[in-house]
């Protein structure tokens, strides 16, 4: 056994506490200059203080510039003009670069050096603002190097439900302008974060345990399906997607995806050497997702015959006010083949198969509780029977399904 003494003893820690920390947190520090005044609040000082043991047993106090900048936010913006990063913009169907602009402001590293000597001074204490150049984090040259110059894929789906359409609008607005760098993986759930009422989502139709139901955020699967098809036709790598358990006729069979927050995700990787810029366009009747980058492939989609048909079961469900009739949808298996071709020569490069198995969606008849008498119909009519097959049904997601869980990029 070996006994190692503490690097910093209690008296030294108490000296730093009473001599530096407590005075430092006793009052804010004013920053003045060019007729402007701002302050470094106590919370920012506390968030950025650092303590480093030395070889002689002392405890050095410092200020972390990165933590200081994060804690200050826009507090010192009065002393300069913020830098503007380069960005991409779609104009008339073409993608363009909006150049970066350098700004002016206070260097957090220099401010940290100014603050240290005054932290143990009695209030009021102040430092003089010394603004300098602030370069953009994402420059025009960096944007140009990403090779985002043309449309590489686009896909549109129609919106038929107002509530689902509102949720699609919210998620489309969130994803619009996303930039996925070479090698990065895009995760829809990670990118959007929570999709609840606080984020502007509303209650809409979902599929739960094989039946139509309602939940906040219903309809996001239509956005996932639209994006998945943009990924498919751009020739990008499919990392994870899950088709709906039942076939929804408004989507291409075997080429669609569902999502559910915390359980089912849509993930794809930019396996190209150039960036991918995502543009979304929403109207009350349609959603379009378009990818811009450098075109690598012409993609052809080939669908097999539908095989192994499965007929829906018929279920009579007592209607206690929460029963939704379903007309039922047959199940089947299908294979969709993605064919990659050279855009210049048309030569086939490779193929990739997507196997999908759809369950049969049950026919659900809503029957009145036992002992109740249905209201009489108009004279000359007869009671209605089971619903006939066909018609639209809302898309959605299944909260019981599981999937593995990128990074937000702008």
């Amino acid at each position: 056994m070996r006994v190692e003494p503490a690097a910093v003893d209690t008296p030294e820690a108490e000296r730093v506490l009473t001599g530096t920390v407590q005075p430092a947190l006793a009052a804010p520090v004013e920053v003045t200059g060019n007729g402007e005044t701002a302050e470094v609040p106590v919370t920012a000082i506390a968030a950025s203080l650092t303590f480093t043991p030395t070889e002689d047993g002392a405890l050095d106090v410092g200020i972390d510039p990165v933590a200081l900048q994060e804690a200050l936010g826009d507090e010192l913006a009065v002393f300069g003009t913020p830098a503007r990063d380069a960005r991409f913009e779609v104009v008339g169907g073409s993608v363009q670069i909006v150049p970066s602009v350098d700004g002016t402001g206070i260097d957090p590293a220099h401010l940290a050096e100014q603050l240290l000597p005054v932290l143990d001074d009695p209030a009021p204490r102040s430092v003089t603002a010394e603004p300098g150049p602030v370069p953009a984090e994402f420059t025009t040259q960096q944007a140009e190097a990403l090779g985002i110059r043309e449309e590489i894929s686009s896909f549109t789906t129609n919106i038929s439900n107002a509530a689902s359409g509102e949720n699609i609008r919210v998620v489309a607005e969130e994803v619009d302008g996303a930039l996925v760098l070479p090698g990065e993986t895009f995760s829809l759930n990670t990118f959007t974060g929570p999709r609840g009422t606080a984020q502007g989502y509303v209650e809409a139709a979902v599929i739960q345990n094989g039946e139509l139901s309602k939940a906040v955020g219903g309809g996001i699967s239509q956005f996932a399906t639209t994006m998945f098809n943009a990924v498919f036709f751009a020739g990008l790598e499919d990392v994870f997607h899950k088709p709906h358990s039942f076939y929804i006729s408004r989507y291409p069979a075997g080429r669609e995806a569902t999502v559910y927050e915390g359980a089912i995700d849509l993930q794809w990787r930019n396996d190209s050497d150039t960036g991918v810029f995502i543009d979304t366009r929403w109207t009350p009747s349609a959603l379009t997702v378009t990818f811009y980058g450098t075109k690598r492939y012409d993609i052809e989609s080939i669908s097999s015959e539908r095989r192994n048909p499965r007929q829906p079961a018929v279920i009579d469900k007592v209607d206690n006010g929460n029963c939704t009739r379903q007309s039922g949808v047959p199940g089947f298996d299908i294979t969709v083949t993605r064919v990659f071709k050279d855009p210049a020569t048309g030569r086939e490069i490779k193929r990739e198969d997507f196997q999908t198995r759809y369950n049969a969606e049950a026919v659900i008849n809503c029957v009145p509780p036992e002992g109740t008498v249905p209201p009489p119909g108009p004279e000359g009519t007869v009671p209605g029977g089971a619903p006939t097959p066909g018609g639209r049904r809302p898309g959605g997601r299944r909260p019981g399904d599981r999937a593995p869980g990128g990074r937000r990029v702008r």
Side-chain angles (χ1 to χ4, degrees):
M1 181 181 294
R2 182 177 62 190
V3 177
E4 294 186 1
V8 178
D9 59 22
T10 301
E12 172 61 8
E14 290 175 341
R15 180 192 68 80
V16 172
L17 175 65
T18 58
T20 303
V21 177
Q22 290 175 343
L25 304 183
V29 177
E30 281 195 343
V31 183
T32 60
N34 297 328
E36 302 287 353
T37 301
E39 73 172 21
V40 180
V42 169
T43 52
I45 298 172
S48 57
L49 283 176
T50 63
F51 307 94
T52 306
T54 65
E55 292 183 358
D56 58 0
L59 194 59
D60 280 353
V61 179
I63 293 179
D64 180 357
V66 175
L68 178 64
Q69 185 176 35
E70 290 178 355
L72 284 172
D74 296 330
E75 181 67 30
L76 305 182
V78 295
F79 298 110
T81 57
R84 295 198 300 270
D85 288 344
R87 58 187 176 87
F88 297 92
E89 190 175 76
V90 177
V91 180
S94 299
V95 65
Q96 302 175 358
I97 295 175
V98 179
S100 61
V101 178
D102 291 341
T104 59
I106 295 177
D107 180 8
H110 181 60
L111 178 61
E113 294 174 354
Q114 290 180 290
L115 288 175
L116 274 176
V118 304
L119 288 184
D120 54 1
D121 290 350
R125 56 259 182 104
S126 65
V127 297
T128 302
E130 298 178 5
V134 177
E137 293 184 4
F138 184 57
T139 67
T140 304
Q141 292 73 22
Q142 290 172 318
E144 291 170 343
L146 285 178
I148 297 173
R149 58 176 64 95
E150 60 189 335
E151 179 183 309
I152 59 174
S153 68
S154 187
F155 199 78
T156 299
T157 56
N158 295 324
I159 299 172
S160 59
N161 180 280
S164 296
E166 176 61 16
N167 290 331
I168 295 167
R169 182 194 66 78
V170 175
V171 70
E173 188 175 86
E174 177 73 8
V175 175
D176 186 44
L179 178 62
V180 185
L181 301 180
E184 286 188 334
T185 295
F186 180 94
S187 158
L188 184 58
N189 285 352
T190 300
F191 191 91
T192 65
R195 296 191 291 263
T197 55
Q199 290 76 36
Y201 294 90
V202 299
E203 191 176 71
V206 299
I207 301 173
Q208 186 169 10
N209 298 324
E211 298 181 15
L212 292 178
S213 182
K214 287 189 175 181
V216 173
I220 301 302
S221 291
Q222 180 164 343
F223 182 87
T225 289
T226 312
M227 173 174 273
F228 173 74
N229 277 272
V231 172
F232 184 97
F233 287 105
L236 296 166
E237 179 185 340
D238 171 45
V239 175
F240 180 85
H241 83 282
K242 184 186 183 307
H244 288 83
S245 295
F246 309 114
Y247 174 56
I248 300 174
S249 59
R250 67 174 178 271
Y251 300 149
R255 220 177 59 218
E256 44 88 11
T258 185
V259 289
Y260 192 82
E261 184 184 333
I264 306 171
D265 200 5
L266 171 65
Q267 299 176 14
W268 54 273
R269 191 173 78 91
N270 178 9
D271 58 340
S272 71
D273 295 330
T274 57
V276 173
F277 176 74
I278 303 172
D279 178 75
T280 67
R281 300 296 168 103
W282 177 94
T283 70
S285 60
L287 166 71
T288 300
V289 176
T290 304
F291 286 180
Y292 292 88
T294 296
K295 191 173 183 66
R296 297 184 296 163
Y297 307 110
D298 282 334
I299 298 294
E300 181 184 358
S301 178
I302 301 175
S303 297
S304 71
E305 295 293 327
R306 300 181 183 185
R307 57 188 185 275
N308 301 327
R310 292 174 283 278
Q311 296 306 311
V314 178
I315 300 173
D316 291 334
K317 183 178 179 181
V318 176
D319 189 358
N320 292 316
N322 61 351
C323 179
T324 301
R325 289 172 47 147
Q326 292 179 187
S327 58
V329 177
F332 58 90
D333 298 346
I334 191 169
T335 301
V336 174
T337 301
R338 178 161 63 162
V339 183
F340 299 74
K341 296 181 179 180
D342 186 325
T345 65
R347 180 182 60 86
E348 182 176 320
I349 299 173
K350 61 180 178 178
R351 292 189 172 210
E352 180 182 18
D353 287 342
F354 294 83
Q355 309 283 355
T356 304
R357 174 185 174 86
Y358 290 112
N359 297 327
E361 180 189 62
V363 174
I364 295 182
N365 300 317
C366 297
V367 299
E370 193 172 327
T372 63
V373 179
E379 186 176 350
T381 64
V382 295
T388 56
R392 300 185 187 182
R393 66 177 190 73
R397 51 199 183 174
R398 302 182 65 236
D401 294 338
R402 290 281 176 196
R407 159 191 115 118
R408 173 176 295 270
V409 287
R410 281 290 188 192

